[in-house]
Amino acid sequence: MIINSQNLHRIMLKIITAAGSSAEEAQIVADHLLRANLTGHDSHGIGMLPTYLRSIAEKLLIPNTPVKAVSDSGSILIFDGQFGYGQRVAREAMEQAISSCQKNGLALMALRNAHHIGRVGSYGEQSIAAGLISLHFVNVTHHTPVVSVYNGADARLLTNPICFAMPKTEKNPAVLLDMATSKIALGKARVAMNSGKSTPEGTLLDSQGNPTNDPGVLFSDPTGAIKPFGEYKGFGIAFFCELLAGVLTGGGTIQPENPRDGSIINNMITIMIDPQRLVDQDWLHHEVDALTSYALESPQSSDADSDIMLAGEPERRNTARRLKSGIPVDPNTWQELLDAGTSVGIAPETLNQLR
């Protein structure tokens, strides 16, 4: 089914509010989820709400919880998400880190114990809007591993995303790289399973360590695994996400001494830079524009399946298309949303009417 973005936003607001959030918090979370759907990252959009409501019911996610400042030593800031909505606490931590970077030229922000922070690109967009460069490293705890190590036969890590953000110039849009260090995000496997689709060859392992393209292996017991992207390179970056986001924030890593209670807890370490403190801005813009032109003017290879694009361009195209034509929601995901709504007292016919 195709749902208009405004209607989808109203549906999300109703469910999040019914689950206990204030109007302000519900707006932040719904805005974030809708933005994920609009950019084409359905894995981090409205389909996450049933998971969030289960976490609330199990007291693993605590609505109406603000971020807590643990330490502020100038350009180094440490925050605790206190198991609140990640979309809220990460946004609040980023706001304070941006203020610090604008004052000091450089900021290092550590956030721990945030429930699922969602699409990490959203925080890159925050820094871009402030004219700042940012680098984000995230790990996941409290969850069963779903990603194999390079040459491994079972799951030992999670999807551990990274995000790099560079502000726009007068001639070119911002560059925003946001990606999991696994071949696909876990949510994309969920979307594929709910849609009755297979995953690409070479993406998954079943519970015996054999290659498969059935996304259902990630949601069964015993579970399968997603392979790291780029073989040993992706594994290396994912491991560093554990070292940086897991260790340096104080939030912990996926190693088995730490809790695995079925939640999705993120830790994030962010490096933020004010480029005006480093180089002349006219020169920076010229160099970025010249490099962009040089890359995009490459002849297209004979086996290319799309245009040559810089990171962030697919999301801009998806957003323009989905704002115009609506957002696809598969029947299984919609039924999960109806069931989630029922769990917080919203009748299915109410959500169907909003659709």
Side-chain angles (χ1 to χ4, degrees):
M1 63 186 71
I2 303 295
I3 304 177
N4 174 274
S5 60
Q6 292 180 341
N7 292 344
L8 196 64
H9 190 262
R10 282 193 284 267
I11 290 167
M12 289 191 281
L13 280 176
K14 192 165 190 67
I15 293 173
I16 297 165
T17 303
S21 288
S22 66
E24 180 181 8
E25 180 174 90
Q27 187 76 36
I28 292 170
V29 177
D31 286 353
H32 183 113
L33 296 176
L34 180 65
R35 178 71 176 158
N37 282 123
L38 285 172
T39 55
H41 296 288
D42 297 320
S43 55
H44 290 63
I46 191 172
M48 288 302 304
L49 278 181
T51 298
Y52 294 169
L53 266 59
R54 285 193 294 271
S55 290
I56 292 170
E58 295 169 9
K59 302 188 185 307
L60 301 173
L61 165 57
I62 307 171
N64 302 315
T65 300
V67 78
K68 177 183 177 182
V70 176
S71 174
D72 181 350
S73 53
S75 59
I76 301 177
L77 304 93
I78 304 172
F79 297 96
D80 195 312
Q82 304 183 97
F83 306 104
Y85 267 109
Q87 290 86 351
R88 172 183 177 171
V89 297
R91 181 180 181 83
E92 291 173 347
M94 281 293 298
E95 288 171 348
Q96 295 187 53
I98 286 169
S99 178
S100 174
C101 186
Q102 290 171 331
K103 178 181 178 180
N104 300 306
L106 183 69
L108 176 65
M109 186 270 283
L111 171 66
R112 62 186 181 228
N113 298 327
H115 194 271
H116 188 236
I117 64 174
R119 175 178 164 261
V120 184
S122 175
Y123 312 112
E125 288 170 345
Q126 273 186 266
S127 66
I128 286 169
L132 304 174
I133 297 167
S134 62
L135 298 82
H136 310 258
F137 301 86
V138 181
N139 82 321
V140 191
T141 62
H142 290 245
H143 194 286
T144 304
V146 295
V147 179
S148 68
V149 301
Y150 177 56
N151 283 337
D154 67 355
R156 297 289 166 130
L157 299 173
L158 279 125
T159 53
N160 292 4
I162 58 172
C163 175
F164 302 152
M166 184 80 178
K168 67 180 182 179
T169 68
E170 290 184 4
K171 295 182 179 179
N172 287 290
V175 183
L176 181 66
L177 174 66
D178 174 20
M179 66 182 210
T181 51
S182 52
K183 284 200 170 183
I184 58 171
L186 178 61
K188 292 189 186 300
R190 170 179 50 79
V191 170
M193 181 181 70
N194 283 348
S195 302
K197 297 178 180 178
S198 299
T199 55
E201 295 292 335
T203 300
L204 302 180
L205 301 173
D206 66 18
S207 61
Q208 302 301 312
N210 301 310
T212 180
N213 58 5
D214 175 12
V217 302
L218 299 175
F219 305 94
S220 59
D221 186 17
T223 186
I226 310 170
K227 298 178 74 172
F229 91 94
E231 300 180 332
Y232 67 89
K233 297 176 184 179
F235 167 45
I237 297 172
F239 196 79
F240 256 95
C241 284
E242 295 287 349
L243 299 177
L244 296 174
V247 176
L248 293 187
T249 64
T253 69
I254 195 60
Q255 62 94 355
E257 293 176 1
N258 291 323
R260 293 182 181 173
D261 52 22
S263 187
I264 310 172
I265 301 302
N266 286 142
N267 307 297
M268 176 170 70
I269 200 153
T270 296
I271 302 164
M272 203 171 298
I273 303 163
D274 184 350
Q276 297 184 75
R277 307 293 187 101
L278 293 172
V279 294
D280 175 80
Q281 292 305 283
D282 288 340
W283 181 88
L284 181 150
H285 286 181
H286 169 77
E287 199 68 14
V288 170
D289 289 338
L291 177 62
T292 299
S293 296
Y294 180 65
L296 295 181
E297 289 169 2
S298 172
Q300 195 164 331
S301 67
S302 60
D303 62 347
D305 58 3
S306 68
D307 297 339
I308 298 171
M309 292 181 280
L310 294 185
E313 182 60 27
E315 287 80 1
R316 281 186 287 272
R317 295 186 183 187
N318 281 328
T319 298
R321 181 168 56 251
R322 289 185 169 195
L323 280 172
K324 181 179 179 180
S325 61
I327 295 168
V329 179
D330 67 82
N332 286 329
T333 296
W334 182 249
Q335 185 58 53
E336 289 175 358
L337 286 167
L338 295 179
D339 294 342
T342 299
S343 74
V344 290
I346 304 173
E349 53 266 26
T350 300
L351 296 182
N352 278 316
Q353 288 171 359
L354 288 174
R355 191 184 76 195

